[in-house]
Amino acid sequence: MALQQLNPQAAGVKGHDARGIITTASRGLAETLNSNLGPKGTMKMLVSGSGDIKLTKDGSVLLGEMMFQHPIAKLIARAVTAQDDMAGDGTTSTVLLIGELMRLADYYIRDGVHVRSIVEGYTLAKEETLKFLQTYKTPVTEQPSENREVYVRTAFTALNTKLAADTAQEMAEVCVDAVTCIARPNQPVDLHMVEMMFMQHKLKSDSTFIQGIVLDHGARHPDMPKRLENCYILTCNASLEYEKSEVNAEWAYTTAAMKEKMVKAEHKIVDDNTRKIIALKREVCQNGEGFVVINQKGIDPLALDMLAKEGIIGFLGGKKKDNEKIGVAFGGGGIKSLHG
C-alpha cells in the first residue's frame, strides 16, 4: 500500500521473483565485465554525453563511468570500490566472484536449501580461505629494495591485464622504483608523493621514472644557467613584481620628473627584495654552489635580469605542492615574506 502511494505505477515482487531480479542484476554486471578479465581481455569504449571517447578494460574505471539504477548493482559497485581502495587491483575479479556466488546461491535456493544455510556456508568458506592464504602466502620484508624481483612480478601481474605486455613490464619497474624512492621504514607509503606528468606528442614507450622532483616550467630568462649542481634552493611565496594596490587610488603628476619618481618608488620594494635574495646567495654560496629561487608568485623582468647576472635560476609561478615536496625531499620549508 505504501509503495502504491509513493508511485502508483510501481510493481512489487516477492519471494522467488525478488531473488531472481537480484540474481539477474548481479549476473548481468558480471557478464558485462567478463570479457575484460585477463591479459587477453577486450577493451571497452566509453562515450560520454559530451562525446569524449575513453578506451579501457579496467574494472574500476568502467564501474566509475557506468550509471546504475538497480540497488544490487550499486551495492556491488561499492564493494568493488572498497577493493580498489584497499588493494588497487582485483575489481573485475571481485565482480565476477560476486556474480558466481549469486548464481550458485540461486541454484541451491531453487533446490530447497534455506537462505540461512547458504549464508553460513559462505561464511565458513571465507574462514577456510583465509586460513589457506595464511599458509600459502610468501613472506617478504617491508623493504622493497631487498625483494625487488617479487615486487616487480606483482606489479606486472596487475598491469598485464590493463596494458600491453611490453609496456606492462616497463611500467612495473617504474612503479616499483617510484614506491621504493618514497618508502620510509615503519611508515605508510604516501602515494601522493608520486606525481604522474603527461607529456604531449610523446609515446607510451617514452615513459620513464625520474628519481627526484620534476617541475613543468623552466627558467624565465635566457641568460640564466641551464644546469646547476650542489645547489641551495629558496622556495618562497613573496612578491617579486609590481602589484596593483587593493585600494582604488589616483595619483596625478604634472611633469615627467614626477612620473619617473613615482615609477622608481613602485619598483623600490621589488628591487629591495631581489637584493636580499642576492645577498643571501652571496652569503651561503662560498665554494661555488648554485642557487635556485622557486617563487609561487611572479618575478619582475628587471628582477629576473638581476638574478641572471648573479648566476641564479629563477622559477616563477611555482605550484604550492611542488614547494611542499621540495621541503619534504630536501628539508626546510618555504617563506612567505622577504621582509625582516
Side-chain angles (χ1 to χ4, degrees), residues 37-158:
L37 186 66
K40 299 184 181 299
T42 59
M43 304 286 287
K44 294 290 191 299
M45 177 183 293
L46 303 177
V47 182
S48 65
S50 59
D52 297 334
I53 298 177
K54 181 183 296 185
L55 293 175
T56 183
K57 60 177 181 178
D58 186 6
S60 178
V61 176
L62 289 172
L63 293 176
E65 297 290 338
M66 296 171 63
M67 300 296 294
F68 300 103
Q69 293 184 352
H70 198 283
I72 298 301
K74 292 182 180 179
L75 188 61
I76 295 176
R78 291 180 182 178
V80 171
T81 301
Q83 166 73 18
D84 185 65
D85 293 340
M86 292 296 295
D89 192 34
T91 53
T92 302
S93 302
T94 302
V95 174
L96 297 183
L97 179 61
I98 293 175
E100 186 64 16
L101 292 176
M102 294 296 292
R103 185 187 70 81
L104 293 175
D106 183 67
Y107 173 79
Y108 286 111
I109 289 174
R110 292 180 183 275
D111 282 351
V113 181
H114 196 273
V115 175
R116 177 58 63 182
S117 300
I118 296 176
V119 172
E120 293 177 353
Y122 282 164
T123 303
L124 180 61
K126 182 193 71 172
E127 295 175 354
E128 293 298 324
T129 302
L130 293 177
K131 293 179 181 179
F132 169 76
L133 291 177
Q134 292 295 328
T135 61
Y136 186 76
K137 67 181 182 180
T138 302
V140 294
T141 61
E142 295 183 0
Q143 296 297 329
S145 58
E146 300 178 2
N147 301 92
R148 174 179 169 80
E149 187 62 27
V150 176
Y151 285 97
V152 170
R153 291 201 302 266
T154 303
F156 175 76
T157 301

Side-chain angles (χ1 to χ4, degrees), residues 16 21 44-45 65 67 87 93 110 129 136 143 173 179 192 196 227 238 241 247-248 262 292 309 321:
H16 294 288
I21 293 176
K44 294 290 191 299
M45 177 183 293
E65 297 290 338
M67 300 296 294
S93 302
R110 292 180 183 275
T129 302
Y136 186 76
Q143 296 297 329
E173 297 181 359
V179 174
H192 294 288
M196 294 185 294
R227 181 183 179 90
E241 64 179 349
V247 180
N248 294 329
M262 179 186 67
V292 180
K309 291 180 179 179
K321 64 177 182 179

Side-chain angles (χ1 to χ4, degrees), residues 246-264:
E246 297 181 359
V247 180
N248 294 329
E250 295 183 359
W251 176 265
Y253 56 87
T254 57
T255 63
M258 294 178 62
K259 179 182 179 181
E260 185 68 20
K261 184 178 180 181
M262 179 186 67
V263 173
K264 290 182 179 180

Side-chain angles (χ1 to χ4, degrees), residues 234 236-243 264-282 291 293-295 297-300 302-307 310 312 335-340:
L234 173 63
C236 55
N237 186 21
S239 176
L240 292 177
E241 64 179 349
Y242 168 70
E243 296 180 346
K264 290 182 179 180
E266 290 175 347
H267 290 279
K268 184 178 184 302
I269 298 178
V270 176
D271 294 342
D272 291 344
N273 290 339
T274 306
R275 292 190 181 96
K276 290 179 181 179
I277 295 176
I278 295 174
L280 177 62
K281 185 257 184 182
R282 293 175 178 176
F291 199 88
V293 177
I294 303 177
N295 190 28
K297 295 183 179 180
I299 302 179
D300 189 83
L302 296 178
L304 287 173
D305 187 64
M306 296 172 63
L307 296 177
E310 288 291 328
I312 301 175
I335 60 175
K336 297 183 179 180
S337 175
L338 296 174
H339 299 288

